[in-house]
Amino acid sequence: MMNRFFLILLTFGLVACGNSGNGGRQSERIVIEDADYDFGVVADTVHVLKHQFKIENVGADTCRIVKIEKSCGCTKVRESADVIPPGEAVFLDVEVDLGINYSFFERDINIYMDHQAEPYTIFVRASRQVPKAMVEKVFPVRISDELRANMPFLILTYLPHGEVKTHFLNINNSSDKAVKYTARLIGAPSYVSVFHDDEIPANETGRVIITSDMKDVKDEWGVLRYTLRITSGNDSTDIPVEGIITQQLTTSETHARIMMPVTAFSIDPAHKPCTKFVVANVGEDTLHIRNLKVAKGAAQKVTIGSHSLAYQQKDTISVFLAPDQKEEVIIGISTNDPIEPYKEIRVFCEPSK
């Protein structure tokens, strides 16, 4: 069932494994047999999955495997050889240790050859049955008598401008019949979408896919919050969803770094309606404060002297509250710090004793 969620494009196009004597480019092919491999539904008693992949050189030049990368430490690979002469093949033995993983999972293996920078990718996936006794532990959130979800909330981590991010929620059907359900987003922006199959087969696990298409998002920052509502029959369950919108992050030798010695403070707004927080740039590039936004509660005003701080420069964030303010106030700070692009400061309102 889960194959309908994935469109895998496997390119076995022409590649050059080497140069001919006259300097001409060779038309060569590397073919990986079963490069998109689905184990299907496996029993809960299965702990290790094994498969052997054939990597064939159907060209005229020798190719060499220079590196193999795995998406998970639970995956072991062993190649029969790293040099593939023309017209011959090597074999890659793959073992996936399932551990305590249940429901649907996917792993990928990237094989780097000496003739091109882009790797050849092998995909392996399976859906492992969940023991009846473990259903409530692995899927703690009840949706209906038949369906349960694996998480009470979804944390999307960072959502950088210009990128597309995909996140998942697994839903288990513990009954002996297929169960229909729907999933919809409440309060989500237009660039967020949800996809799922209409029903989950008996004793299998379905997946709700949330896609955040940030390619055209430019002026939004900070925390994004909305609700995912799962409905089956007359039963509904709301799953809170939260992510942090940031600028597109790049890796470089130098970068900005935000530092705040104090990020929480208690005041009595009736006697002191303003509190101040020191912010400093301890990185080597200019720190740009993209946005100061009230994430929770209410503030009359939030200010900073400058939205750009040079290396070792300090400034002050001032938070002004109403004298009768009683609720906690959280201020979100979005910056170009690639390690910590979003930070929060908290003001607790407590009456003086």
Side-chain angles (χ1 to χ4, degrees):
M1 178 192 71
M2 291 311 302
N3 285 338
R4 293 198 293 269
F5 285 146
F6 295 90
L7 177 62
I8 306 296
L9 178 63
L10 298 176
T11 304
F12 301 119
L14 300 181
V15 297
C17 290
N19 293 327
S20 66
N22 61 7
R25 182 181 178 90
Q26 298 293 307
S27 294
E28 310 290 354
R29 293 177 186 267
I30 286 290
V31 176
I32 303 178
E33 191 176 85
D34 295 329
D36 183 13
Y37 191 79
D38 192 342
F39 287 94
V41 179
V42 299
D44 62 327
T45 55
V46 174
H47 299 288
V48 177
L49 300 177
K50 298 180 180 181
H51 188 73
Q52 186 178 79
F53 295 89
K54 181 181 178 181
I55 306 173
E56 186 177 5
N57 178 6
V58 297
D61 290 315
T62 296
C63 294
R64 181 187 297 273
I65 299 174
V66 296
K67 182 173 62 173
I68 297 177
E69 292 183 346
K70 306 164 296 180
S71 62
C72 176
C74 63
T75 305
K76 295 180 180 179
V77 298
R78 184 176 67 254
E79 67 269 32
S80 60
D82 57 5
V83 176
I84 316 176
E88 297 188 18
V90 300
F91 295 90
L92 189 70
D93 291 310
V94 175
E95 293 186 9
V96 181
D97 187 343
L98 299 179
I100 61 173
N101 292 315
Y102 291 95
S103 71
F104 180 82
F105 73 91
E106 181 181 48
R107 302 290 182 265
D108 58 77
I109 302 164
N110 289 318
I111 303 170
Y112 292 85
M113 311 295 289
D114 62 348
H115 60 272
Q116 65 179 40
E118 292 300 317
Y120 294 90
T121 302
I122 291 174
F123 297 90
V124 293
R125 59 177 65 88
S127 184
R128 189 185 187 191
Q129 292 178 339
V130 183
K132 296 289 186 182
M134 294 185 62
V135 168
E136 291 190 13
K137 181 178 180 180
V138 179
F139 295 87
V141 182
R142 181 189 181 278
I143 297 172
S144 66
D145 289 341
E146 300 88 2
L147 303 184
R148 302 184 71 89
N150 66 323
M151 289 184 287
F153 51 82
L154 274 176
I155 302 297
L156 310 184
T157 61
Y158 297 142
L159 302 172
H161 291 173
E163 298 185 15
V164 178
K165 293 291 186 179
T166 302
H167 299 84
F168 311 96
L169 180 77
N170 292 331
I171 300 178
N172 177 257
N173 175 14
S174 60
S175 73
D176 295 325
K177 62 180 181 180
V179 176
K180 294 184 178 294
Y181 76 106
T182 61
R184 67 186 183 96
L185 303 176
I186 300 173
S190 59
Y191 52 80
V192 179
S193 60
V194 62
F195 177 81
H196 64 91
D197 264 353
D198 293 332
E199 66 177 30
I200 303 174
N203 297 304
E204 289 195 21
T205 299
R207 174 168 280 190
V208 176
I209 303 174
I210 293 179
T211 301
S212 305
D213 187 348
M214 311 294 292
K215 293 195 297 292
D216 297 324
V217 178
K218 298 179 180 179
D219 299 322
E220 294 189 39
W221 304 94
V223 177
L224 173 66
R225 293 187 177 97
Y226 55 89
T227 299
L228 170 65
R229 177 165 293 172
I230 310 293
T231 302
S232 179
N234 295 323
D235 297 306
S236 290
T237 297
D238 288 348
I239 307 290
V241 184
E242 181 175 300
I244 298 174
I245 302 174
T246 71
Q247 72 176 52
Q248 195 164 23
L249 304 175
T250 58
T251 302
S252 61
E253 294 182 359
T254 62
H255 49 73
R257 284 291 284 123
I258 188 172
M259 193 274 289
M260 299 187 69
V262 177
T263 57
F265 205 80
S266 297
I267 64 170
D268 180 358
H271 294 87
K272 184 183 178 182
C274 175
T275 186
K276 299 179 183 292
F277 296 87
V278 173
V279 56
N281 177 17
V282 295
E284 298 180 17
D285 282 351
T286 300
L287 177 70
H288 297 288
I289 298 176
R290 306 296 191 191
N291 186 259
L292 283 174
K293 184 178 180 180
V294 178
K296 179 183 177 182
Q300 289 186 330
K301 186 168 58 174
V302 180
T303 65
I304 187 171
S306 174
H307 281 76
S308 297
L309 302 182
Y311 170 55
Q312 293 189 339
Q313 184 179 351
K314 299 179 182 179
D315 211 318
T316 301
I317 297 175
S318 299
V319 181
F320 297 85
L321 305 180
D324 58 351
Q325 175 75 20
K326 296 180 180 179
E327 296 180 350
E328 172 192 5
V329 178
I330 300 177
I331 308 297
I333 308 167
S334 298
T335 72
N336 62 324
D337 181 340
I339 299 174
E340 198 174 13
Y342 181 79
K343 202 173 185 69
E344 289 185 339
I345 55 178
R346 297 170 181 262
V347 181
F348 300 97
C349 301
E350 299 179 356
S352 301
K353 296 182 180 179

